[in-house]
C-alpha cells in the first residue's frame, strides 16, 4: 500500500471516522473573507491563532506539500439530558483543544508520531482553516450554519488537520453546501441573529462565543461584558451552544438515534447544578468543571458569570437566596451578573436584596448592573 493509504488506515484505527488528503496550497478566499469582515473577527485575527498566517501553510512551513484532514465523530454516544442545553456536544465529547493526557489529545499525538516515524515533517503549531481543508480533502461538505458535515454523521464532528512535507495522493474536493435549497432553519432558530445569512456569522452575537470568549484582556477589544440583549437569549447555556445544529434537518437522524450511554458523562451529570457552578468550590471545579470544560476559560469567575446568567434566565425564585449570597462575593463580576439575574427573576425579595446591595457596593461596574436591575423591576 502507499503511504497515503497507510496514513488513512492508521487514522481510522485510532478512532477517526474519515480521513482525506489535499494539497498544502493557500486559501485565498478564506483570507479575503476574514479581511472583509475584520471588525467581526478582530479578536481571532489579532489573537494567538493567527488565522491569516495559517491560511497560507507554506508561509510558515516552506516545505509543506500536503494537508491530512481527519474527522472525529463527537456524537457516537448519547449525552445526558441534564447537560444538554448547558454544555455544547463538542465539549461534552471532550475532544476540542484536548490536553495530551486525555484520550482525545493522545489520539492527536499518536497520529503525529505515526507521521514522523514515516519520515514526514509535521508543522508544529499552525492553525489552518480546518473545515475548508476537510472539504478540499473531500471528507466533509458545508452547511448554511457554517459547520462542516460528514456524510452519515452530521455536523457534530471535530476536524483535525496535519501539515506535512510529503507529496501524497490527493482526494477529490467536496466544496459544496448540501443543505436543502430553501432551508433556512438554522438562521431562523438562532436567537441572537448571529447567523444573519447562509454561511455568514457574526461571532460577537453567537451564544457560544459569549459563553467562553468574552474575557477581559482578549484581543480585538473583547471584554468580559455581555450585552443584556444577548444574555436574555442565552437561556441556560454556560459553555457553547448547539441550537443551529440541533434544528438542522441533516442532523436529525443522529440526534434521534438510540445511542449507547457514556458512563463518565452520566456520572458527571448526577450532581451538576447551576448553583454549584455559581458558588464554584475548588472541589466542584476540579471534579466537574475541568473534565468537561477545560478549553477556552482559564479563570473561574467566567464560569460563575455564565451560571448567574443561566440562573436569571430560568426565572425561578428558588435561586434568589443563592443570588443573595453571590451579591456579597469578593469578585465584582459575580456580583454584577448576580444582580442582573435578580432583576431578571424579579419580585419583592429580589428588589430588597438589590437595594441593600446598592448601599454597600463601591465597584462602578457592579453598581451599574444593580441600578439597571432595579430599573427593570
Amino acid at each position: 500500500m502507499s503511504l497515503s493509504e497507510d496514513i488513512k488506515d492508521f487514522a481510522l484505527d485510532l478512532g477517526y471516522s474519515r480521513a482525506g488528503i489535499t494539497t498544502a496550497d493557500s486559501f485565498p478566499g478564506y483570507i479575503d473573507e476574514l479581511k472583509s469582515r475584520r471588525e467581526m473577527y478582530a479578536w481571532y485575527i489579532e489573537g494567538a491563532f493567527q488565522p491569516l498566517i495559517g491560511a497560507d501553510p507554506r508561509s510558515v512551513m516552506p516545505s509543506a506539500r500536503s494537508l491530512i484532514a481527519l474527522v472525529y465523530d463527537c456524537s457516537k454516544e448519547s449525552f445526558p439530558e441534564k447537560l444538554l442545553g448547558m454544555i455544547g456536544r463538542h465539549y461534552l465529547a471532550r475532544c476540542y483543544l484536548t490536553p495530551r493526557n486525555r484520550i482525545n489529545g493522545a489520539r492527536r499525538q499518536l497520529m503525529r508520531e505515526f507521521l514522523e516515524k514515516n519520515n514526514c515533517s509535521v508543522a508544529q503549531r499552525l492553525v489552518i482553516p480546518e473545515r475548508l481543508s476537510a472539504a478540499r480533502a473531500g471528507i466533509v461538505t458545508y452547511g448554511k450554519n457554517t459547520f462542516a458535515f460528514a456524510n452519515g454523521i452530521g455536523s457534530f464532528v471535530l476536524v483535525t488537520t496535519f501539515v506535512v512535507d510529503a507529496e501524497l495522493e490527493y482526494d477529490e474536493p467536496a466544496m459544496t453546501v448540501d443543505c436543502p435549497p430553501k432551508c433556512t432553519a438554522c438562521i431562523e432558530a438562532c436567537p441572537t441573529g448571529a447567523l444573519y445569512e447562509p454561511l455568514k456569522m457574526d461571532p460577537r452575537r453567537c451564544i457560544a462565543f459569549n459563553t467562553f470568549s468574552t474575557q477581559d484582556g482578549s484581543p480585538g477589544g473583547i471584554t468580559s461584558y455581555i450585552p443584556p440583549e444577548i444574555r436574555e437569549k442565552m437561556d441556560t447555556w454556560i459553555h457553547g451552544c448547539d441550537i443551529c445544529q440541533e434544528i438542522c434537518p441533516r442532523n436529525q437522524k443522529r440526534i434521534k438515534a438510540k445511542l449507547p450511554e457514556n458512563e463518565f458523562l452520566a456520572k458527571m451529570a448526577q450532581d451538576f447544578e447551576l448553583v454549584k457552578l455559581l458558588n464554584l468550590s475548588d472541589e466542584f471545579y476540579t471534579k466537574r468543571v475541568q473534565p468537561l470544560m477545560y478549553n477556552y476559560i482559564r479563570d473561574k469567575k467566567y464560569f460563575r458569570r455564565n451560571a448567574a446568567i443561566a440562573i436569571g434566565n430560568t426565572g425561578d425564585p428558588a435561586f434568589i437566596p443563592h443570588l443573595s449570597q453571590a451579591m456579597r462575593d469578593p469578585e465584582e463580576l459575580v456580583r454584577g451578573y448576580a444582580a442582573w439575574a435578580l432583576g431578571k427573576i424579579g419580585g419583592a425579595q429580589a428588589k430588597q436584596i438589590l437595594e441593600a446591595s446598592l448601599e454597600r457596593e463601591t465597584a462602578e461596574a457592579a453598581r451599574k448592573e444593580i441600578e439597571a436591575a432595579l430599573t427593570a423591576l
Side-chain angles (χ1 to χ4, degrees):
M1 286 195 300
S2 66
L3 177 57
S4 297
E5 286 302 312
D6 288 344
I7 289 170
K8 292 178 181 179
D9 286 351
F10 188 76
L12 296 175
D13 186 33
L14 284 179
Y16 291 104
S17 298
R18 304 284 187 275
I21 302 173
T22 186
T23 68
D25 295 340
S26 66
F27 296 85
Y30 176 80
I31 293 171
D32 291 344
E33 190 68 30
L34 277 181
K35 287 181 176 179
S36 71
R37 291 191 281 162
R38 190 178 187 96
E39 184 180 357
M40 292 181 187
Y41 286 90
W43 58 275
Y44 186 46
I45 295 170
E46 298 169 13
F49 291 116
Q50 297 184 299
L52 294 179
I53 295 174
D56 185 8
R58 294 193 183 107
S59 68
V60 176
M61 186 183 183
S63 62
R65 293 293 178 270
S66 304
L67 304 180
I68 300 164
L70 309 172
V71 162
Y72 179 78
D73 183 354
C74 302
S75 58
K76 292 183 286 189
E77 298 175 300
S78 65
F79 300 108
E81 286 293 330
K82 187 176 180 181
L83 297 179
L84 291 175
M86 286 202 291
I87 304 171
R89 285 171 166 83
H90 282 84
Y91 310 109
L92 290 175
R94 290 103 61 219
C95 63
Y96 192 69
L97 299 178
T98 315
R100 292 181 184 179
N101 64 344
R102 297 296 178 91
I103 187 64
N104 291 303
R107 181 183 297 108
R108 183 187 180 104
Q109 182 61 24
L110 288 169
M111 191 71 220
R112 174 184 288 276
E113 291 174 1
F114 175 84
L115 294 170
E116 291 172 343
K117 287 177 181 177
N118 281 273
N119 301 314
C120 295
S121 292
V122 185
Q124 289 302 308
R125 177 168 174 77
L126 189 56
V127 178
I128 65 172
E130 293 191 300
R131 295 175 188 175
L132 274 174
S133 300
R136 203 163 78 184
I139 57 174
V140 303
T141 59
Y142 260 92
K144 294 177 184 178
N145 58 6
T146 78
F147 282 90
F149 285 75
N151 187 37
I153 300 175
S155 67
F156 293 109
V157 297
L158 175 71
V159 177
T160 300
T161 306
F162 293 90
V163 184
V164 300
D165 65 347
E167 194 84 39
L168 300 172
E169 299 166 16
Y170 303 127
D171 295 297
E172 288 294 320
M175 307 286 285
T176 60
V177 178
D178 285 350
C179 299
K182 296 182 179 181
C183 182
T184 56
C186 56
I187 297 171
E188 295 167 9
C190 181
T192 62
L195 283 172
Y196 57 93
E197 61 181 73
L199 298 174
K200 301 284 187 181
M201 173 188 283
D202 183 347
R204 300 167 301 177
R205 298 193 63 81
C206 176
I207 289 174
F209 177 91
N210 279 279
T211 62
F212 46 59
S213 293
T214 46
Q215 301 181 54
D216 293 320
S218 298
I222 300 298
T223 70
S224 62
Y225 181 73
I226 301 175
E229 65 269 21
I230 299 293
R231 300 176 206 175
E232 293 175 353
K233 304 293 187 180
M234 289 171 68
D235 199 10
T236 56
W237 292 103
I238 57 173
H239 199 77
C241 175
D242 289 336
I243 293 173
C244 69
Q245 295 183 86
E246 289 175 335
I247 198 68
C248 178
R250 298 171 70 184
N251 280 329
Q252 294 311 302
K253 183 176 180 180
R254 178 57 66 89
I255 287 175
K256 295 174 181 177
K258 181 67 175 177
L259 300 171
E261 181 180 72
N262 182 289
E263 294 182 8
F264 176 76
L265 288 179
K267 182 177 181 180
M268 294 295 103
Q270 287 176 1
D271 64 345
F272 198 97
E273 307 289 348
L274 289 175
V275 165
K276 292 181 179 179
L277 192 65
L278 177 67
N279 297 330
L280 201 50
S281 66
D282 289 341
E283 181 181 16
F284 189 77
Y285 179 67
T286 300
K287 292 187 175 182
R288 293 294 181 265
V289 176
Q290 282 189 318
L292 302 178
M293 298 176 280
Y294 44 74
N295 38 52
Y296 293 117
I297 298 179
R298 298 292 178 264
D299 193 318
K300 291 190 287 186
K301 67 183 179 182
Y302 299 116
F303 290 112
R304 303 180 68 199
R305 172 201 62 187
N306 296 349
I309 293 173
I311 285 171
N313 284 328
T314 68
D316 188 348
F319 286 111
I320 289 178
H322 302 287
L323 293 169
S324 178
Q325 179 182 343
M327 292 304 298
R328 294 183 176 273
D329 194 89
E331 177 55 60
E332 178 188 1
L333 188 71
V334 174
R335 298 196 303 275
Y337 282 80
W340 179 85
L342 285 166
K344 183 73 172 172
I345 293 172
Q349 185 182 7
K351 182 178 181 181
Q352 183 180 9
I353 293 167
L354 288 167
E355 289 173 340
S357 299
L358 184 61
E359 291 181 4
R360 62 175 181 270
E361 185 59 69
T362 58
E364 181 180 359
R367 283 189 65 87
K368 287 182 178 179
E369 291 286 355
I370 296 171
E371 290 169 350
L374 284 168
T375 300
L377 288 175

